[in-house]
Amino acid sequence: MNKLAVVALGGNALLRGNQAGTIDEQEQNTSDTLENLVYLIKEGYSLVIGHGNGPQVGNILMRNDAGEQNYGIPQMPLDVCVADSQGGIGYMIERMLRNVLHKHGIQKEVVCLVTSVVVDKNDPAFNNPTKRVGKSYTKEQADVLAKEKGWVFKEEVKDTGTGWRRVVASPKPMRIMNERIVEELAREGVIVIAAGGGGVPVYIDEVGDVRPMEAVIDKDSACSLLANRIKADEFYILTDVPYVYINYKKPNEKKLEFLNKVDTDQYLADGMFGEGNMSPKIKACLSFVEQGGHKSVITEATKLSDKSFGTKITLEYED
């Protein structure tokens, strides 16, 4: 049986921070990123692909705002905006991936599933929003928007001048809807795009009905949970750095090529990874190996085929 890997694409794999966000830019970024997955496919892996939606759902929220202010169009709630981004990005990934596969002469089916993810409506995350959405602003711009719209902002990397982004609640994913279908398709060799943007956040009410939640689920946590639920062998997070670092962007910055559970727990306890950016990725990777996964890897997309790059997280250090 082929190895099964879940690959989580960061939002920056689709939209770069210094870009306007045109469809041409996003399609080119997506195609460039997906080229790197050909390595895994040729190595015999079956794939499930998740993706971020931070920049995109933030833009949808701003369009919502502009539509209401300028044209009286009713705003859609955050869960619908997440679903919009999941469908649009999933379609783009599917189309670009089909073209990449065709270029390499690879015959595989690709399917995108709009995925709901169950959360606890009483999750404490609703009292402490941390999930970044939308573009980066200066401190002055963020202060104006916070006053006008009641949004909450946090600095990207503290005291580095990297900008401020809106934050929303990010509850813990509890269950992936349609996870059985995802596994069945993946085991049959279909490349499945699922849990995009962390999934559409929902909860189950007292009578068993599915209800929406105003939140954005961390896509790495959702993809980690999905990887465990479908019994994946490996879990990859593709981001914009080739390694995980401690003391990131500081004079004593240090890259980490290998991590085990003990060291990872200690670094997390010491606050060595940024809240809202690298810390959730580390926690997602650690959770995957704690729940039975063999290995997690965090790296930059273009370094995927070079095993000398990337931070590898396992329960114990491997020889």
Side-chain angles (χ1 to χ4, degrees), residues 14 21 34 42 49 57 70 88 92-93 113 117 127 158 176 178 210 234 257 267 285 313:
L14 313 177
L34 294 173
K42 289 184 175 180
I49 300 173
V57 78
N70 298 322
M92 182 168 59
I93 292 174
L113 298 179
V117 174
N127 298 319
K158 190 172 178 57
I176 310 292
N178 296 328
V210 180
E234 297 174 5
E257 187 172 353
Y267 285 135
C285 287
I313 300 174

Side-chain angles (χ1 to χ4, degrees), residues 30 57 75 81 95-96 103 140-141 147 171 200 206 219 236 255 264 267 271 276-277 291 306 313:
T30 301
V57 78
Q75 289 208 19
C81 294
R95 187 162 64 85
M96 295 299 101
K103 171 185 172 182
E140 293 73 22
Q141 291 171 324
K147 183 177 180 180
V200 182
E206 295 77 6
K219 73 98 175 34
Y236 293 81
K255 73 178 182 183
T264 305
Y267 285 135
N277 42 60
Q291 299 301 316
D306 188 339
I313 300 174

Side-chain angles (χ1 to χ4, degrees), residues 33 37 49 52 58 80 88 97 111 123 144 193 195 229 244-245 301 305:
T33 298
L37 300 190
I49 300 173
V80 173
L97 183 54
V111 64
D123 191 302
V144 170
I193 304 161
R229 299 290 292 181
V244 173
Y245 300 84
S305 62

Side-chain angles (χ1 to χ4, degrees), residues 17 76 86 89 141 164 175 227 233 289-290:
M76 291 296 102
Q86 193 179 107
I89 296 170
Q141 291 171 324
W164 295 69
R175 179 163 62 89
D233 301 283
V289 297
E290 286 177 330

Side-chain angles (χ1 to χ4, degrees), residues 9-131:
L9 307 180
N12 288 330
L14 313 177
L15 176 60
R16 311 288 191 250
N18 61 348
Q19 293 181 329
T22 67
I23 189 60
D24 288 340
E25 289 172 337
Q26 294 191 62
E27 287 180 352
Q28 186 62 57
N29 295 337
T30 301
S31 183
D32 291 345
T33 298
L34 294 173
E35 276 283 349
N36 299 284
L37 300 190
V38 172
Y39 161 75
L40 289 176
I41 296 170
K42 289 184 175 180
E43 288 289 303
Y45 284 81
S46 296
L47 295 182
V48 174
I49 300 173
H51 60 80
N53 71 342
Q56 292 86 357
V57 78
N59 290 340
I60 291 171
L61 290 168
M62 287 189 285
R63 290 200 296 269
N64 253 352
D65 230 28
E68 182 180 56
Q69 290 180 11
N70 298 322
Y71 303 103
I73 300 172
Q75 289 208 19
M76 291 296 102
L78 187 52
D79 65 295
V80 173
C81 294
V82 172
D84 283 350
S85 69
Q86 193 179 107
I89 296 170
Y91 154 71
M92 182 168 59
I93 292 174
E94 178 180 339
R95 187 162 64 85
M96 295 299 101
L97 183 54
R98 288 183 181 275
N99 292 343
V100 168
L101 294 175
H102 176 71
K103 171 185 172 182
H104 290 272
I106 298 172
Q107 299 293 323
K108 274 189 175 291
E109 288 296 331
V110 185
V111 64
C112 172
L113 298 179
V114 174
T115 314
S116 294
V117 174
V118 179
V119 302
D120 181 354
K121 68 176 182 178
N122 297 313
D123 191 302
F126 290 103
N127 298 319
N128 179 33
T130 60
K131 184 62 179 175

